[in-house]
Amino acid sequence: MRRLLIDLASRAVARAVIFRADRVLLLRRASDQRIAPDAWQCPAGKQEPGEPIEETLVREVREETGLVVRASVPLGTTSTAVETDGVPTTWTQFDFLAETSGAEVVLSDEHRDFRWVALTELERFAELSPQVRTAICRGVAARDAQIQSSQP
């Protein structure tokens, strides 16, 4: 029975690192959100049962921003143990470099602001979690590797 409880208390989240030129997309959560109100973050969301994590990424980015993306490079995972409604829960975050067309961002009710932030300006976002910063750094490295491999 304990194994079943552990499995039920594990959740997967897909997070997208999206660039437009040398800027990364950050969303600011709405003040009324139960988890991380007012926090700046990359687009992310929970996996539905039976859903492949890449599909979670595409769905969540579309729901939160209106952007259509493709998960292009896996950037790694991080796990965090927290208590959710009194239940110990492990959240595993799957980070991806995501590519999008030039469409405009249209925010859902979960967020109240967005910015395309220059990498040199990230230090002004002190509330970015270490996990988000790590995902962005991995995204920069993956994007730069893609650019270099496409050059003759």
Side-chain angles (χ1 to χ4, degrees):
M1 183 68 169
R2 182 156 172 73
R3 173 80 177 149
L4 178 61
L5 291 175
I6 290 170
D7 288 345
L8 289 175
S10 297
R11 297 298 307 258
V13 175
R15 176 172 35 219
V17 178
I18 304 169
F19 290 99
R20 181 172 288 169
D22 284 336
R23 295 178 177 269
V24 64
L25 178 61
L26 294 181
L27 308 179
R28 188 165 200 178
R29 290 182 58 83
S31 301
D32 63 354
Q33 293 298 296
R34 190 175 68 130
I35 299 172
D38 297 313
W40 285 97
Q41 59 183 193
C42 293
K46 294 178 250 174
Q47 183 180 40
E48 298 293 335
E51 180 180 49
I53 198 68
E54 293 86 352
E55 288 180 23
T56 301
L57 182 88
V58 171
R59 177 182 53 76
E60 284 289 344
V61 171
R62 186 179 60 249
E63 288 175 3
E64 293 184 357
T65 68
L67 297 175
V68 176
V69 298
R70 180 180 70 84
S72 63
V73 178
L75 300 174
T77 62
T78 55
S79 291
T80 306
V82 297
E83 195 166 296
T84 305
D85 298 325
V87 177
T89 306
T90 301
W91 291 89
T92 302
Q93 190 89 40
F94 293 84
D95 298 326
F96 292 91
L97 180 62
E99 297 175 359
T100 185
S101 63
E104 291 302 314
V105 174
V106 178
L107 292 177
S108 71
D109 292 341
E110 288 181 51
H111 297 91
R112 64 183 179 99
D113 197 6
F114 76 93
R115 298 218 180 115
W116 291 99
V117 179
L119 298 175
T120 57
E121 297 173 351
L122 284 173
E123 68 272 0
R124 294 194 318 197
F125 292 81
E127 68 275 14
L128 281 179
S129 73
Q131 293 88 353
V132 171
R133 289 181 187 280
T134 297
I136 292 170
C137 288
R138 289 175 178 169
V140 169
R143 182 199 61 175
D144 291 351
Q146 282 182 330
I147 291 169
Q148 285 202 323
S149 70
S150 68
Q151 294 176 350

